[in-house]
């Protein structure tokens, strides 16, 4: 039986849930675990299982961002087992589980979950909202699939100074943003493009025809420039923490001293090289135009335009 929360409990939740959201965004698994323990002590005795499971989705999202995919997979399967399959919490857990499988490069496991997510007409009652959710989640599936398709088993470490200097040369050559997206797309291997097409085609074919026709056709997803945009958007989840977290060294340096200080210390080159290594990507020709785009946008615009969205934030 669900019991009402008292004023003190509500105040604690008001502090804890935003902190959990931020921990998930940063991939701060230890903080997320600690917050879940506190929330559990509030929600469980009062019978608020659904709210606890919603919070646990955040926990397992933070686990994915921290690279703890096995932990996230087990947890998300557990959430799906505990909540009604006609609830938003179930839909979100399923979406996260599909992403988890994509990050494991396991399309065989991902596709049935993607099908379940995109075939669900019951949870989001409003058709416009349902269509918007599906549009956004397909974009996310594309990004995750493409990014993890270019992973390498033995990615070589990139030289931050070298790649940032080469990015500076690209900018000096007066290349436009569209040219730089094209440069990224050209370096994506054929097998990764095929995976991107497979995911996009599979996802869109699950939609009703009227809804499908409102979205770009799958062939458009694998045009060189669009592939570049997909890859650039997909790395933002890792880069955003380094470049845009207001507590990060790079953001603080930019805020206090301007872009010049960051460039002189090769901070963007360092951030991108570390992000690529964490992702298992050692392709210099991919890293250089990514850095060039960030330099061209500037930290403020990049952080504003490329802030990663989370599944629960799509409500």
């Amino acid at each position: 039986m669900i019991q009402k929360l008292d004023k003190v409990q509500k105040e604690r939740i008001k502090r804890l849930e935003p902190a959990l959201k931020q921990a998930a965004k940063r991939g701060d698994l230890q903080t997320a675990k600690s917050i879940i323990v506190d929330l559990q002590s509030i929600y469980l005795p009062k019978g608020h299982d659904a709210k606890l499971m919603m919070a646990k989705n955040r926990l397992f999202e933070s686990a994915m961002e921290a690279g703890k995919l096995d932990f996230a997979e087990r947890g998300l399967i557990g959430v799906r087992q505990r909540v009604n399959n006609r609830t938003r919490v179930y839909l979100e857990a399923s979406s996260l589980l599909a992403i988890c499988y994509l990050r494991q490069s396991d399309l065989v496991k991902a596709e049935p979950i993607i099908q379940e997510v995109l075939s669900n007409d019951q949870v989001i009652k409003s058709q416009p909202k349902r269509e918007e959710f599906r549009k956004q989640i397909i974009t996310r599936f594309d990004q995750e699939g493409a990014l993890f398709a270019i992973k390498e088993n033995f990615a070589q470490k990139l030289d931050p100074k070298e790649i940032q200097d080469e990015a500076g040369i690209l900018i000096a050559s007066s290349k436009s943003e569209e040219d730089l997206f094209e440069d990224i797309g050209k370096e994506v291997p054929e097998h990764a493009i095929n995976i991107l097409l497979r995911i996009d085609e599979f996802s869109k074919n699950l939609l009703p025809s009227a809804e499908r026709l409102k979205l770009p056709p799958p062939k458009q997803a694998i045009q060189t420039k669009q592939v570049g945009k997909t890859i650039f958007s997909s790395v933002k989840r890792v880069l955003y923490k380094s470049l845009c977290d207001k507590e990060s060294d790079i953001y603080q340096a930019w805020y206090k001293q301007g872009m010049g200080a960051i460039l002189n210390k090769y901070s963007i080159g360092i951030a991108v090289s570390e992000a690529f290594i964490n992702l298992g990507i050692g392709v210099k020709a991919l890293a250089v135009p990514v850095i060039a785009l960030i330099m061209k946008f500037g930290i403020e615009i990049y952080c504003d335009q490329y802030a990663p969205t989370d599944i629960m934030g799509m409500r």
Side-chain angles (χ1 to χ4, degrees), residues 166-211:
E166 289 191 25
I169 293 169
L170 276 184
I171 292 175
S173 70
S174 301
K175 283 206 170 192
S176 68
E177 291 169 13
E178 297 299 305
D179 291 334
L180 293 170
F181 285 127
E182 189 96 17
D183 286 347
I184 296 171
K186 286 175 183 174
E187 298 302 326
V188 176
E190 189 68 27
H191 77 272
I193 292 172
N194 290 336
I195 288 174
L196 172 58
L197 177 61
R198 173 176 166 175
I199 293 168
D200 194 74
E201 207 164 39
F202 176 81
S203 299
K204 287 173 180 172
N205 283 341
L206 294 168
L207 304 179
S209 57
E211 195 173 333

Side-chain angles (χ1 to χ4, degrees), residues 21-256:
K21 181 179 179 180
Q22 288 304 311
K25 194 174 181 179
R26 294 193 308 270
D28 185 351
L29 183 55
Q30 289 309 117
T31 298
K33 283 181 175 179
S34 175
I35 293 170
I36 284 293
V37 170
D38 284 349
L39 286 172
Q40 198 161 275
S41 70
I42 300 170
Y43 285 140
L44 274 185
K46 298 286 188 174
H48 289 265
D49 284 4
K51 288 185 177 180
L52 178 59
M53 291 302 105
M54 190 187 306
K56 286 199 171 184
N57 275 346
R58 293 259 186 219
L59 169 67
F60 302 126
E61 182 183 33
S62 74
M64 284 202 297
E65 298 305 326
K68 305 296 184 183
L69 298 180
D70 289 342
F71 176 75
E73 179 187 354
R74 291 193 302 271
L76 292 165
I77 290 171
V79 171
R80 278 164 45 93
Q81 289 171 342
R82 286 195 60 176
V83 299
N84 189 305
N85 63 5
R86 290 173 176 260
T87 62
R88 188 67 183 250
V89 176
Y90 183 90
L91 182 66
E92 289 165 348
S94 301
S95 300
L96 287 168
L97 183 59
I99 290 166
C100 189
Y101 288 141
L102 289 172
R103 291 192 180 190
Q104 293 169 331
S105 302
D106 194 337
L107 289 177
V108 173
K109 285 186 177 179
E111 285 180 342
I113 308 298
I114 290 173
Q115 182 170 3
E116 192 175 346
V117 169
L118 294 174
S119 301
N120 191 318
D121 293 331
Q122 305 300 316
V123 172
I124 304 175
K125 304 295 184 185
S126 162
Q127 184 174 332
K129 288 182 179 179
R130 185 168 63 246
E131 288 183 4
E132 181 59 27
F133 172 82
R134 287 171 171 170
K135 177 184 174 182
Q136 289 188 43
I137 201 65
I138 288 173
T139 298
R140 179 74 183 274
F141 290 154
D142 284 356
Q143 290 172 356
E144 296 284 354
L147 182 62
F148 286 88
I150 59 176
K151 279 198 308 184
E152 303 162 282
N153 290 328
F154 303 102
Q156 293 185 341
K157 191 167 184 178
L158 302 170
D159 184 319
K161 182 179 184 301
E162 183 182 358
I163 57 178
Q164 186 171 308
D165 284 343
E166 289 191 25
I169 293 169
L170 276 184
I171 292 175
S173 70
S174 301
K175 283 206 170 192
S176 68
E177 291 169 13
E178 297 299 305
D179 291 334
L180 293 170
F181 285 127
E182 189 96 17
D183 286 347
I184 296 171
K186 286 175 183 174
E187 298 302 326
V188 176
E190 189 68 27
H191 77 272
I193 292 172
N194 290 336
I195 288 174
L196 172 58
L197 177 61
R198 173 176 166 175
I199 293 168
D200 194 74
E201 207 164 39
F202 176 81
S203 299
K204 287 173 180 172
N205 283 341
L206 294 168
L207 304 179
S209 57
E211 195 173 333
R212 186 168 63 247
L213 290 171
K214 294 178 184 178
L215 300 177
K219 290 290 183 185
Q220 188 173 319
I222 58 169
Q223 292 175 357
T224 305
K225 190 186 299 180
Q226 185 56 45
V227 171
K229 289 180 177 181
T230 298
I231 294 296
F232 185 72
S233 294
S234 65
V235 298
K236 69 187 177 186
R237 310 197 78 79
V238 180
L239 279 176
Y240 197 84
K241 289 179 281 187
S242 300
L243 297 177
C244 305
D245 185 334
K246 292 185 178 179
E247 302 303 317
S248 72
D249 292 340
I250 295 177
Y251 191 92
Q252 286 292 315
W254 166 77
Y255 185 76
K256 293 174 182 176

